[in-house]
Amino acid sequence: MEAMPENWVIDKSGILIISVMLVQLTSVSDNEFMVTIDQQVKWVMDNINKFKDTYGETPRALVMLGHPMRRDNIRPFFDKLEPYFYDPGWLLKGDVLPGMDFPVLYFHGDGHNWEVDTRLQLYDELNWELFYDVMCDMGGKAPPITLEFRGSDDAPFVQERTDQFIIPDKNGEGIIRIDRRGGTYNEARVYEQRYPWPLTSTN
């Protein structure tokens, strides 16, 4: 993105993973920041449309990586993005637009206390089905989280440990598995001994 060179996007297993720049510096006015929000909404939608043009269908899920929590100055980003997923309807929402019935996740660190927030799914909020706001732990509290994306031919994910959270697709079947990997960094080695990575040392 020319206006925001720090933005990036990749896709994995039909899932679009994209960064969004939603940090308002103290030197940036509210009007200037609204321009940034409009740019970020366009950036997200341009990449969804590019994905569709490339693969002939919309993503199976959208994962957005940002920093700030949904503060008042950030909320317009979600308010402006939601109409691309739903027809304007009576009161809050109409029918989901064709191909846009996939889960949307917003990951951020601001707040630094683990939470999977589904409040924007509520009728008196944005009434945005399949929207998840995921707040990550502070770095000293736990090892980095892991994300697993279900392949198109794989069985749906299920929860295997209490630190895991399953994100369902439009059919209610687990498409993303988030593992908080609870515990502190001092306990990370013990964790890896219990749940080792697939790679093994050649030493």
Side-chain angles (χ1 to χ4, degrees), residues 72-172:
D72 289 344
N73 65 321
I74 304 300
R75 179 62 183 261
F77 170 76
F78 303 99
D79 291 337
K80 290 171 177 280
L81 189 61
E82 187 264 355
Y84 289 99
F85 288 76
Y86 292 95
D87 275 326
W90 180 68
L91 288 182
L92 294 176
K93 184 191 69 174
D95 293 331
V96 64
L97 292 170
M100 302 302 284
D101 53 350
F102 51 83
V104 175
L105 288 75
Y106 174 64
F107 277 86
H108 62 91
D110 191 17
H112 305 294
N113 288 300
W114 175 258
E115 182 182 23
V116 180
D117 186 355
T118 60
R119 281 176 289 180
L120 286 193
Q121 297 180 12
L122 299 177
Y123 184 78
D124 57 354
E125 284 285 343
L126 270 187
N127 203 12
W128 189 343
E129 297 174 8
L130 296 180
F131 182 93
Y132 300 85
D133 181 304
V134 183
M135 183 192 301
C136 302
D137 278 318
M138 185 182 298
K141 288 184 178 178
I145 64 173
T146 61
L147 289 178
E148 296 177 83
F149 301 136
R150 189 187 85 216
S152 56
D153 297 325
D154 295 337
F157 285 133
V158 295
Q159 184 179 13
E160 297 176 345
R161 295 187 293 280
T162 56
D163 282 328
Q164 292 180 343
F165 191 93
I166 305 300
I167 303 296
D169 60 16
K170 62 182 179 182
N171 299 314

Side-chain angles (χ1 to χ4, degrees), residues 7-203:
N7 279 14
W8 54 266
V9 60
I10 59 174
D11 64 83
K12 174 70 174 176
S13 301
I15 294 173
L16 193 62
I17 308 160
I18 187 168
S19 71
V20 288
M21 208 300 288
L22 298 173
V23 175
Q24 182 176 7
L25 302 177
T26 55
S27 59
V28 176
S29 70
D30 290 343
N31 288 337
E32 290 172 323
F33 188 60
M34 195 57 64
V35 173
T36 297
I37 284 180
D38 289 339
Q39 290 174 335
Q40 296 304 304
V41 171
K42 184 178 186 301
W43 160 250
V44 172
M45 291 311 304
D46 283 351
N47 279 283
I48 290 176
N49 292 328
K50 183 178 179 180
F51 184 100
K52 185 177 181 179
D53 291 341
T54 301
Y55 297 106
E57 58 186 5
T58 50
R60 300 169 65 216
L62 171 66
V63 176
M64 299 185 293
L65 305 177
H67 172 72
M69 64 172 63
R70 293 195 324 270
R71 303 180 189 278
D72 289 344
N73 65 321
I74 304 300
R75 179 62 183 261
F77 170 76
F78 303 99
D79 291 337
K80 290 171 177 280
L81 189 61
E82 187 264 355
Y84 289 99
F85 288 76
Y86 292 95
D87 275 326
W90 180 68
L91 288 182
L92 294 176
K93 184 191 69 174
D95 293 331
V96 64
L97 292 170
M100 302 302 284
D101 53 350
F102 51 83
V104 175
L105 288 75
Y106 174 64
F107 277 86
H108 62 91
D110 191 17
H112 305 294
N113 288 300
W114 175 258
E115 182 182 23
V116 180
D117 186 355
T118 60
R119 281 176 289 180
L120 286 193
Q121 297 180 12
L122 299 177
Y123 184 78
D124 57 354
E125 284 285 343
L126 270 187
N127 203 12
W128 189 343
E129 297 174 8
L130 296 180
F131 182 93
Y132 300 85
D133 181 304
V134 183
M135 183 192 301
C136 302
D137 278 318
M138 185 182 298
K141 288 184 178 178
I145 64 173
T146 61
L147 289 178
E148 296 177 83
F149 301 136
R150 189 187 85 216
S152 56
D153 297 325
D154 295 337
F157 285 133
V158 295
Q159 184 179 13
E160 297 176 345
R161 295 187 293 280
T162 56
D163 282 328
Q164 292 180 343
F165 191 93
I166 305 300
I167 303 296
D169 60 16
K170 62 182 179 182
N171 299 314
E173 298 181 332
I175 188 172
I176 298 175
R177 181 159 55 195
I178 309 170
D179 197 328
R180 178 192 180 192
R181 305 205 304 160
T184 65
Y185 275 107
N186 291 335
E187 297 167 337
R189 185 175 299 279
V190 175
Y191 183 97
E192 295 299 347
Q193 290 171 352
R194 288 183 290 151
Y195 309 111
W197 293 95
L199 299 178
T200 55
S201 175
T202 57
N203 295 336

